[in-house]
């Protein structure tokens, strides 16, 4: 049993709670953000991750499909959005999408992740057809698709209630929902960085309804821009409360604001120290969400490897150069792809056990 003596009594009290498996409060979370050293956060977060996941570190074989970057919204942090007919905009046809899936299917992927801009013309039936045709290629491929922001638009465009829309999409073959679109659940900050789009309440409502309809999901938090630590703790707390109610979240993915080619570039980017601290406090605070993911195409391979000592137990997947969201925002990997062997080596060299999973964490192979 670890025992921590610390000159700061408050830190000692919080550490005691974490090590004995007790929940920390919002005030504790804020105290950790403001006062805890990185070494201590690593010890505490690793303690929580080992209790939940042992040394297992998960990855999967997946591709991303971004059907369009045409978007009715204009989030200030977004580098890849374009308006219809603007230079650099794209719309993939259904045939192009299905061809990508066919090729990836030959490489034994288990997941197709679909996220894109909010296209003004495409409705639920349009996306439903694509999903059901993907399932015809391989019914076992898990389809994790559409952020709450895209869902809200396509469901309303087709004239359904949220519950009806989610039910229809599930019938077409939607298996789960990715975590995007959450940004930061604070109305003032949201107004400044993504004024027009889906509110925090709508994001929460969509995920609550999805969970109740038997559709699991992920959650994200966009950090490292104009938000403060209080905003981050409130965001984590909102997710923890919803998870207490539904148990529908699989994974929490902190998303680091990347500065290239968007209208918030002047803010710069936070340090790797801040990234590690944020992973660790997320792991400690979210005692009821089983997995914390470092999304390597965003954070880079080196920081992903380091993050494993700060509570992270999932690194996403092979990707196979199928996403542009982060390369357009300045991520170091301009053509993100990793082989299974590279992922395994990254995990094992950090001292953890590599485990291939499917999207809902059934184990496929242990290394
Ligand atoms: O909602 C856009 C973010 C999200 C930037 O569920 C940016 O497994 C940082 O949610 N800097 C979409 N972030 C991506 C996403 C995701 C990615 C990987 C895995 C999963 C999952 C979900 O990307 C958006 C937005 O928060 N984003 N631009 C930027 N410049
Ligand atoms: Fe559109 Fe999503 Fe970019 Fe916002 S983050 S502008 S909703 S593509």
């Amino acid at each position: 049993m670890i025992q921590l003596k610390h000159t700061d009594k408050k830190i000692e009290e919080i550490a005691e709670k974490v090590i004995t498996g007790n929940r920390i409060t919002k005030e504790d979370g804020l105290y950790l953000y403001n006062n805890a050293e990185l070494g201590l956060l690593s010890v505490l977060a690793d303690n929580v991750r080992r209790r939940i996941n042992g040394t297992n570190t998960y990855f999967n074989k997946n591709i991303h499909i971004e059907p369009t970057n045409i978007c009715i919204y204009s989030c200030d942090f977004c580098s890849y959005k374009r308006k219809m007919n603007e230079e650099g905009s794209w719309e993939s046809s259904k045939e192009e999408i299905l061809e990508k899936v066919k090729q990836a299917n030959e490489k034994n992927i288990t997941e197709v992740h679909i996220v894109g801009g909010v296209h003004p013309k495409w409705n639920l039936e349009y996306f439903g057809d694509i999903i059901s045709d993907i399932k015809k290629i391989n019914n076992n491929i898990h389809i994790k698709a559409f952020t709450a922001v895209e869902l809200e638009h396509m469901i309303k465009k087709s004239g359904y209630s949220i519950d009806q829309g989610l039910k229809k999409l599930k019938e077409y073959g939607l298996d789960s929902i990715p975590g995007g679109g959450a940004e930061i659940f604070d109305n003032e900050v949201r107004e400044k960085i993504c004024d027009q789009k889906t509110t925090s309440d709508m994001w929460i409502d969509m995920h609550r309804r999805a969970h109740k309809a038997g559709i699991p999901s992920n959650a994200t938090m966009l950090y490292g821009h104009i938000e403060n630590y209080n905003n981050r703790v409130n965001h984590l707390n909102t997710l923890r409360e919803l998870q207490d109610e539904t148990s529908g979240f699989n994974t929490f993915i902190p998303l680091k604001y990347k500065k290239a080619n968007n209208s918030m570039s002047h803010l710069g980017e936070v340090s790797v120290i801040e990234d590690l601290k944020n992973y660790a406090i997320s792991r400690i605070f979210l005692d009821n969400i089983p997995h914390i993911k470092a999304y390597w195409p965003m954070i880079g391979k080196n920081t992903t490897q380091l993050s494993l000592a700060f509570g992270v137990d999932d690194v996403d997947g092979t990707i196979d150069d199928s996403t542009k969201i982060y390369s357009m925002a300045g991520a170091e990997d301009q053509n993100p792809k990793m082989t299974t062997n590279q992922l395994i080596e990254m995990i094992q060299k950090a001292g953890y056990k590599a485990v291939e999973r499917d999207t809902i964490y059934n184990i496929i192979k242990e290394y």
Side-chain angles (χ1 to χ4, degrees), residues 107 296-297 301 317-323 333-340 342-343:
K107 296 183 186 166
W296 68 262
K301 292 171 192 158
T318 43
I319 308 285
D320 210 12
D321 194 13
S322 55
T323 174
D333 274 298
Q334 285 296 299
N335 300 94
K337 53 160 96 175
M338 279 185 93
T339 63
T340 304
Q342 286 170 326
L343 284 165

Side-chain angles (χ1 to χ4, degrees), residues 77 113 144 178-181 183 218 222 253 256 258 293 326:
F77 52 80
H113 166 122
K144 166 158 66 86
E183 319 317 354
N218 289 340
L222 183 70
I253 311 143
K256 172 186 187 146
K258 301 290 292 176
K293 182 189 287 190
Y326 284 99

Side-chain angles (χ1 to χ4, degrees), residues 71 73-75 77-78 80-81 116-118 149 183 197:
C71 192
Y73 300 121
S74 301
C75 304
F77 52 80
C78 178
Y80 99 136
K81 62 179 187 279
V118 181
V149 180
E183 319 317 354
K197 85 167 173 192

Side-chain angles (χ1 to χ4, degrees), residues 62 64 75-80 111 113 115 144 147 149 177-183 197 203 217-223 251 253 255-260 262 269 293 295 297-298 316 319 323 325-326 328-330 357 359:
N62 64 348
H64 283 220
C75 304
D76 290 348
F77 52 80
C78 178
S79 314
Y80 99 136
E111 173 189 277
H113 166 122
V115 164
K144 166 158 66 86
T147 64
V149 180
I177 297 178
E183 319 317 354
K197 85 167 173 192
W203 192 98
S217 72
N218 289 340
T220 58
M221 172 174 76
L222 183 70
Y223 72 95
T251 314
I253 311 143
L255 296 175
K256 172 186 187 146
Y257 165 65
K258 301 290 292 176
K259 67 175 186 181
N262 60 61
E269 288 177 16
K293 182 189 287 190
Y295 181 54
M298 168 199 70
D316 206 89
I319 308 285
T323 174
I325 298 182
Y326 284 99
M328 289 172 82
R357 60 162 174 88
T359 309

